[in-house]
Amino acid sequence: MSDSSRTLPPEALDEWARALRERFGLGEEDLPIALILDLARDVANGVARPAAPFSAFAAGLVAGRAGGSPDQVRAAVAEVVEMAGSWSDRQQD
């Protein structure tokens, strides 16, 4: 598979998200694309690229264990993003 065939245009991501929502009975607010992409960006820049998907999974796990509401997802993501923002400072100490 070439790199270009692995890159999703924005509309393909929307289609994938729609398919996930349908398959798992999720609402649009249950799968916040922009929030998750921002989390991945912030972790990739603040920690390391490979930490981004792992951190997204961890945020989802934390939110799920807390009840899984959209507010709980946002809170878990915010906490991971906060950790990523201070990670490089912490590593320099």
Side-chain angles (χ1 to χ4, degrees):
M1 183 176 280
S2 71
D3 284 342
S4 64
S5 66
R6 293 175 53 111
T7 303
L8 289 175
E11 61 274 5
L13 182 56
D14 291 340
E15 291 174 26
W16 176 242
R18 191 169 24 262
L20 288 171
R21 287 183 192 111
E22 288 174 11
R23 172 67 173 90
F24 297 108
L26 301 170
E28 196 162 330
E29 69 282 354
D30 295 323
L31 200 56
I33 294 171
L35 183 70
I36 300 306
L37 292 179
D38 288 349
L39 165 76
R41 178 201 60 220
D42 293 345
V43 170
N45 290 327
V47 182
R49 286 181 66 193
F54 182 74
S55 299
F57 178 85
L61 184 61
V62 168
R65 287 184 174 175
S69 75
D71 286 340
Q72 290 159 326
V73 170
R74 284 190 292 275
V77 167
E79 194 163 346
V80 171
V81 167
E82 181 181 327
M83 288 178 64
S86 63
W87 189 256
S88 62
D89 294 339
R90 181 178 166 190
Q91 298 305 305
Q92 293 174 4
D93 288 343

